[in-house]
Amino acid sequence: MFSITSPRVPTLLKQHPDAVAALLCGVLVLLGWLTLQSGWLGLALLILPAAYVIGGYESAREGLTTLFEEKELDVDLLMIVAALGAAALGLWRREYSFIVDGAVLILIFSISGALEGYAMQRTERSIRGLMNLTTDTARVWRNGREEEMAIATLQIGNEIIVKPGELVPTDGVIVEGFSALNQAPITGESMPVEKTIGDEVFAGTINGSGALRLKLHQPPESSLIQRVIRLVEQAQTETPPSQQFIERFERGYAKAIVILGILFALLPPFLWGWSWETTIYRALIFLVVASPCALMAATMPALLSGIANGARQGILFKNGAQLELIGRVRAIAFDKTGTLTTGKLQVVQIMTVDQDKTQMLKVASALESLSEHPIGEAVVRFAQKQQIDWERATNVQAHPGWGITGEIDQQLAIVGKAAFVREYAISWSDALTAFVQQLEASGNTVIWVAYAGKPMGVIAIADQIRSEAQSTIARLRQLGIREIVMLTGDNDLTARSIADELGIDQVYSELLPEHKVDVIRLLQRQYGTVAMVGDGINDAPALAQASIGIAMGAAGSDVALETADIVLMADRLERLIGAIRLGRRAQRVVKQNIVFALSFVVLLLVTNFLGDITLPLGVVGHEGSTVLVTLSGLRLLRN
């Protein structure tokens, strides 16, 4: 609880003004109705206008802004006119319940406006998350010493120092040093990439164990991470065609109702001899029953129910529009690392040369336990799971890009690439070489182990495919998804090996973030509504560009989660099937609701024209249809 003087109150007003306005409006409408029922007319006439002002201010402002600046009418202004018309009629005929009816119309629209407001904050949050990946300063090597400089002041030709474990501050070319860099946040590569003099490194990547000196070869604003930020901004500020259609329909509807309302208020006395009092009365009824509350309720309650249902299933929809869109998806693009795969390196195969596997793992772990390389960590984890103990190696020395050496019981032990190990060990059999070639062709990374001048065997390491990935792809095809593609920054051999195992025909490999966006745009031109499933920072621009961006929850980066429209919680890829099915159900329910709402509006309008309806009955019919449509939408709460 907090008092009215609590500092959290202005914060709440600042962060959620529309929601607070809708809540206050609802409270005032309830109080106004209660006071009216109690016979306190004066108090009711003070409370209800406050509900009109608080709940209708934003709609009136938007409606008038659209009218004066764009010369267009929209539903917001139509709602205000209908509500004020009901209030004026209530005062004129001294039937004050009409004022409550107008307040309820305003309340419905203020709630809808509050819900829409949350969806408008995504772009700012996404850009803010991306900016957290960049540093403000860099260490510049100048006149034989280090100087701290702001990134914005760097110039082409500056030399930058990046120490082990640090974030690379901006793109550059290595002029001194050697290290393995974790590029997964930018390129999506599943394994650290070893880089040396002449290689380019990207801002936002994480340096390994080697110190680097970089030369700035392009302005900081042209770095890869800055391009990612601009891509997210561009993709999220573009209005999709579906939203444009909704806006045009809303304004067209409002125009038609206003024009018909004016004609209704002017022509009947001349055409059918109605009295002016009857004509105005029927015109006001027309404005009330034609107000599109039922039509608007046809969508939002259904989508909110679907969102609640999805949350129970571990599917987080960030707004209702995406729940509808996911049901219309015709093509899906998957990121590989961390989405179709676990993103964690594991030992997948071991082959020895006349040696016990346990003995070979003891030698490998004695060396790799002193290494910070991810491959070494995977070997050590595997040995620990096998409950294998090893002796501590001595004189251990890392050979960047090649392997690691050390002594065990005063005998030389070597772990690393084939060419490196071959320098220290007797050559191995053709059978082992053929086996290694087969492993590498399947997308595995293979390290060799030798001890005391003799080869012991090989260990294959790979990023593991998610257990549910293959069945998910198969079920997507059963649902009628026409195109399924895989996007990755990994090499083509590894990518195609995984794609073949999953049954994915179309593969785009060795991609940078901007290239993924190009692929999404290509798919959109071919198939229209396209979903992108990813988990990394490198996926953020593609997630934003896609019709529906879907992020993996537990492993997803903050930027991917902020950018995405849908989040699959707990990294459960199979929940994508549930999301699509729920989206298709939502489509059916919304269409049924729209047909019912429009049909009921037509029925009320015809009845009003024939003179067989009073304003109270019109309000009851109008609000009753809204309630029925809302209850229909609640069907989506059921699994």
Side-chain angles (χ1 to χ4, degrees), residues 68-117:
F68 291 118
E69 293 185 1
E70 303 179 25
K71 311 301 181 188
E72 294 282 355
L73 292 169
D74 62 9
V75 173
D76 293 306
L77 190 58
L78 177 62
M79 180 275 301
I80 295 296
V81 172
L84 292 177
L89 185 61
L91 291 172
W92 179 31
R93 296 176 62 91
R94 296 186 179 181
E95 297 182 21
Y96 301 109
S97 60
F98 296 165
I99 304 176
V100 177
D101 297 331
V104 170
L105 296 179
I106 286 180
L107 174 61
I108 292 172
F109 267 74
S110 64
I111 292 172
S112 175
L115 293 171
E116 292 174 0

Side-chain angles (χ1 to χ4, degrees), residues 334 339-341 464-478 484 497-504 573-574 577:
F334 287 93
T339 302
L340 294 173
T341 67
Q464 294 297 290
I465 295 175
R466 290 183 183 273
S467 58
E468 72 275 17
Q470 189 173 21
S471 61
T472 300
I473 298 299
R475 292 170 69 188
L476 286 173
R477 296 195 186 281
Q478 292 173 359
I484 300 175
S497 173
I498 292 175
D500 290 343
E501 187 170 345
L502 293 174
I504 298 177
L573 188 61
E574 69 272 18
I577 305 298

